[in-house]
Amino acid sequence: PTPSVPLIPKKEKPLLSLVMDDCGGNLKLAKRVIRLDLPITWAILPNLSHTKATVDLVRARSIPFLLHLPMQAYVDGNERKEYLIGEGMSEADITKTVANLLADFPSVFGVNNHRGSKATSDSAVMLPVMVTLKKKGLFFLDSNTSSKSVAYKKAIDLGVPALKNGFFLDNDADLDKITERFAQASRLAKKRGVLVVICHLRPTTVEFLERYAQTPSASRDVELVTLPQMWQHVNALRREKK
């Protein structure tokens, strides 16, 4: 089933969209997250032991999800061990790789990059990725792992619906640090009006989210929304400005 995009309630709170990266390798943690009453968008890595099971898990509940596509980082060599998309690949090879991966992700909402600081900074690499997404009518989230990334701009230039990550929640696995970081993200969302926040499928992060889910929505500083809802909202604002 294709996830529906319910309208965002008209509220005064800033909008914050949580994206859960690195799903597909730990089904036990995934099942804990699936039970949370929180609008989280999942980013699922390909070719892991529980990739298919995780895709089936979220599809059965019409939860929006992304293909979390491994891309070349600056620290990588030229051997494609850590990534699937990178420099030195032809346009045809990139196009085929992305298309083949997407075939294993039915009902996927779009793609975001896993690592990829080098690949996302290269327009020649990003072009066939975005052309493929454009043809398939899919979304792109620039994970923003590098200040040199051109991925978001390339997507917008080609007419691919796209957003950019604005905050990493859990680079530090300490629960208190994650709690503090979420408070920082909430303040940044209030300043900007909207914010995409990336977190990861890790035990401490899941523990934080379980605790946060117990907080009454009325007392939260932000309105949590899915990535499709966030795109719908941002796109509407862009149209109003034209």
Side-chain angles (χ1 to χ4, degrees), residues 10-24:
K10 290 186 177 180
K11 295 186 178 181
E12 298 300 324
K13 293 181 182 180
L15 301 182
L16 189 150
S17 185
L18 274 175
V19 177
M20 177 75 74
D21 271 4
D22 296 354
C23 300

Side-chain angles (χ1 to χ4, degrees), residues 23-55:
C23 300
N26 191 320
L27 199 56
K28 288 184 178 179
L29 280 181
K31 289 180 178 179
R32 284 171 62 182
V33 175
I34 209 80
R35 291 194 292 265
L36 298 178
D37 186 22
L38 295 174
I40 297 171
T41 302
W42 295 45
I44 304 173
L45 286 161
N47 305 326
L48 295 185
S49 56
H50 298 295
T51 293
K52 184 181 184 304
T54 305
V55 170

Side-chain angles (χ1 to χ4, degrees), residues 86-160:
E87 291 186 343
M89 297 174 65
S90 67
E91 287 192 11
D93 193 12
I94 293 174
T95 299
K96 182 179 180 180
T97 300
V98 175
N100 287 344
L101 290 171
L102 287 171
D104 294 329
F105 283 69
S107 305
V108 71
F109 174 62
V111 170
N112 74 325
N113 56 293
H114 172 64
R115 302 171 75 246
S117 54
K118 188 172 187 178
T120 59
S121 300
D122 190 327
S123 293
V125 175
M126 288 298 98
L127 177 61
V129 173
M130 300 309 165
V131 169
T132 303
L133 297 183
K134 174 72 172 180
K135 289 180 179 178
K136 294 182 177 295
L138 296 176
F139 172 92
F140 182 77
L141 173 67
D142 187 345
S143 297
N144 206 15
T145 57
S146 169
S147 59
K148 298 179 181 179
S149 175
V150 297
Y152 172 76
K153 184 179 185 304
K154 183 63 67 176
I156 295 299
D157 288 347
L158 290 175
V160 175

